[in-house]
Amino acid sequence: MVETKKKNICVVVLGDIGRSPRMQYHAQSLIREGYNVDIIGYTDSPILDDLKENATIIGVKRPFPFDEYVPRTVAFIFKVVWQTLTLFWAISVKRKSNIVLVQNPPAIPTLAVCWFYCLLFNAKFIIDWHNYAYSILALSLGTDAPLVKLSLLYEQFFGKLADTNLCVTKAMKEDLDKKWNIKATTLYDRPGPQFKTITSIEKHCFLEKMNLNEFTEISESGKVQLKSNRPGLLVSSTSWTPDEDFSILFKALQKYDESDDIYPNLICIITGKGPLKYYYQQMISKLKWKKVSIITPWLENKDYPILLACADLGVCLHASSSGLDLPMKVIDMFGVGLPVCAYDFKSLNELVKHNENGLVFSNDKQLTLHIMTWFKNYPLQVCEKKQNFCKNIDSFRKVDWHKNWMINAHPFFYP
């Protein structure tokens, strides 16, 4: 029997690879199935260890911050020219690719450069739609801005040129078809293998490492036990971008702190890094609360899943610019069996089912009510609620990323 030559797949992320879990999971599955994988993108954050060992990582230099010195339009042109040249260089100098899988957004110039490469080298062009670039631009520029309209036409044009389109929700699949006549396949996100439930001793060791000694202790018999007077642990993760309004959470925690009812103390941990982190840290530093404290650490890749597994409740403030994507942080929380309070938008019900596997809210009043109800009669009642939610979360966890990927994505890469 003649052995089939391995295909070369190029995964393109014109963003920080380490903060693009879905594209890293694509790469992991491709490697697992025997493909040669090259990954192109920015290398600001740590990349999954097995990708560093089994894939070729091609770093792209970020553009010079032109916007600090010239008008926005001029800075945009400089940025696009820089990214076009550096991305085309990176995609051309590596080994020849049979397939190029590109993340969208960002769209400009990524889609054009990758399409042009595929045209030159007779490669298959696959777009994985995480959201719309034009809808993200509209958050800061407004829907009527010329650049937003240009981005919309650009995405529509290159989306139709793709050999295959993948997307993150059924709502986005329907929108692509209805709006642009682009046929896509829904590939739902699933947690990576690092997101799993953990033992009591693992929780104890991690919480001690984080100097959170209020939660667990070692009994005389040597077993880990939860302290009866421990505080509640609330956790959220963010990229500190404009599509997440953390003032909603702060207002809710303010009301929790001011409540005359007997509720436990709360420690709220918000992880991540991004452009608005300093702004919110300044806001947090001015808060003077009695029952609630907020900390904003940056965690290593290996520590983040453990933190989620230690928490009592997760909070997600992701407000989709298009209403058609789903927050990866909720996927991560479900991976460790953590129920979540999530900000409501159009397609969220494809993931979070209210009062089944999580809770949804639309404003700070609803979030306040959810947090107060969740931590009432803590810790016993919380444990009961969490167990009921986890039964439904477990059914979600039965289908992992690779199993789901093999069914919905692999046929487009093989043969």
Side-chain angles (χ1 to χ4, degrees), residues 240 250 268-272 277 280-281 284 294-298:
W240 298 108
F250 298 159
C268 177
I269 301 179
I270 306 173
T271 73
K277 184 170 184 177
Y280 280 114
Q281 284 179 323
I284 292 167
I294 301 176
I295 56 177
T296 58
W298 168 248

Side-chain angles (χ1 to χ4, degrees), residues 47-170:
I47 296 167
L48 295 174
D49 289 341
D50 61 332
L51 296 184
K52 288 188 286 187
E53 295 171 2
N54 299 302
T56 301
I57 311 297
I58 304 164
V60 178
K61 289 187 177 180
R62 285 193 177 274
F64 185 78
F66 301 109
D67 54 332
E68 295 181 12
Y69 307 96
V70 297
R72 177 182 288 181
T73 303
V74 177
F76 176 78
I77 294 171
F78 282 158
K79 179 181 178 182
V80 170
V81 171
W82 173 271
Q83 289 180 320
T84 299
L85 294 174
T86 54
L87 177 57
F88 189 73
W89 174 86
I91 201 171
S92 300
V93 296
K94 59 166 185 51
R95 57 192 162 194
K96 181 182 174 183
S97 298
N98 303 107
I99 299 173
V100 176
L101 170 64
V102 57
Q103 171 186 295
N104 184 67
I108 301 173
T110 322
L111 299 184
V113 172
C114 292
W115 169 80
F116 185 62
Y117 173 89
C118 292
L119 183 67
L120 286 179
F121 294 97
N122 194 31
K124 189 174 183 180
F125 180 39
I126 300 179
I127 300 175
D128 189 18
W129 298 79
H130 297 198
N131 202 341
Y132 293 134
Y134 81 85
S135 69
I136 295 175
L137 275 176
L139 290 176
S140 56
L141 301 180
T143 55
D144 294 328
L147 185 56
V148 173
K149 293 178 179 179
L150 173 64
S151 179
L152 186 153
L153 294 173
Y154 175 94
E155 285 181 276
Q156 178 184 11
F157 178 79
F158 283 101
K160 289 183 175 181
L161 293 179
D163 297 292
T164 298
N165 288 278
L166 302 171
C167 63
V168 293
T169 62
K170 287 182 180 177

Side-chain angles (χ1 to χ4, degrees), residues 120-414:
L120 286 179
F121 294 97
N122 194 31
K124 189 174 183 180
F125 180 39
I126 300 179
I127 300 175
D128 189 18
W129 298 79
H130 297 198
N131 202 341
Y132 293 134
Y134 81 85
S135 69
I136 295 175
L137 275 176
L139 290 176
S140 56
L141 301 180
T143 55
D144 294 328
L147 185 56
V148 173
K149 293 178 179 179
L150 173 64
S151 179
L152 186 153
L153 294 173
Y154 175 94
E155 285 181 276
Q156 178 184 11
F157 178 79
F158 283 101
K160 289 183 175 181
L161 293 179
D163 297 292
T164 298
N165 288 278
L166 302 171
C167 63
V168 293
T169 62
K170 287 182 180 177
M172 180 168 279
K173 169 187 168 76
E174 293 167 0
D175 192 70
L176 284 166
D177 187 16
K178 181 179 179 181
K179 185 164 59 180
W180 293 339
N181 195 30
I182 292 174
K183 308 301 179 185
T185 297
T186 301
L187 174 67
Y188 281 121
D189 281 312
R190 285 293 187 272
Q194 68 272 35
F195 293 94
K196 57 188 177 183
T197 57
I198 61 175
T199 64
S200 298
I201 190 64
E202 286 175 305
K203 289 183 181 181
H204 176 74
C205 293
F206 176 77
L207 292 169
E208 278 205 328
K209 175 183 174 181
M210 293 284 292
N211 293 319
L212 298 173
N213 302 316
E214 309 98 317
F215 292 90
T216 60
E217 59 187 357
I218 304 294
S219 67
E220 293 181 0
S221 62
K223 291 184 178 180
V224 173
Q225 60 187 29
L226 294 169
K227 293 182 179 179
S228 59
N229 62 341
R230 68 186 183 275
L233 182 56
L234 200 67
V235 66
S236 185
S237 58
T238 177
S239 298
W240 298 108
T241 51
D243 64 349
E244 293 179 307
D245 183 3
F246 268 81
S247 65
I248 295 175
L249 176 59
F250 298 159
K251 288 176 183 177
L253 294 177
Q254 174 89 36
K255 292 172 185 174
Y256 181 97
D257 190 76
E258 293 172 349
S259 174
D260 293 330
D261 293 336
I262 300 175
Y263 291 106
N265 290 343
L266 276 186
I267 295 177
C268 177
I269 301 179
I270 306 173
T271 73
K273 61 181 180 180
L276 295 179
K277 184 170 184 177
Y278 179 74
Y279 167 80
Y280 280 114
Q281 284 179 323
Q282 292 297 105
M283 187 183 294
I284 292 167
S285 68
K286 297 174 183 177
L287 301 174
K288 307 298 179 185
W289 290 336
K290 297 177 182 178
K291 292 189 288 189
V292 180
S293 59
I294 301 176
I295 56 177
T296 58
W298 168 248
L299 299 177
E300 298 293 333
N301 280 344
K302 59 182 174 55
D303 288 335
Y304 173 59
I306 303 175
L307 170 64
L308 296 184
C310 291
D312 296 302
L313 182 66
V315 174
C316 174
L317 289 154
H318 175 81
S320 171
S321 62
S322 64
L324 302 173
D325 64 334
L326 290 174
M328 194 70 184
K329 63 203 73 180
V330 175
I331 308 286
D332 297 341
M333 291 173 184
F334 282 178
V336 302
L338 178 65
V340 60
C341 259
Y343 186 84
D344 198 13
F345 58 89
K346 182 178 177 180
S347 61
L348 185 70
N349 62 359
E350 293 188 37
L351 177 62
V352 181
K353 312 293 183 184
H354 186 60
N355 277 328
E356 293 182 21
N357 59 9
L359 302 163
V360 300
F361 63 91
S362 300
N363 52 53
D364 59 280
K365 292 180 180 178
Q366 292 177 357
L367 179 56
T368 303
L369 179 61
H370 290 330
I371 294 174
M372 286 183 170
T373 303
W374 190 262
F375 286 101
K376 188 176 182 180
N377 297 324
Y378 182 82
L380 293 178
Q381 191 169 324
V382 169
C383 293
E384 293 176 7
K385 290 178 185 175
K386 193 172 178 181
Q387 286 175 357
N388 292 332
F389 277 55
C390 283
K391 290 177 184 176
N392 294 314
I393 293 173
D394 285 345
S395 63
F396 170 87
R397 296 172 62 231
K398 285 179 181 176
V399 180
D400 63 15
W401 165 269
H402 188 70
K403 194 178 296 183
N404 187 48
W405 183 88
M406 286 296 293
I407 296 169
N408 295 291
H410 188 234
F412 299 114
F413 296 91
Y414 177 85

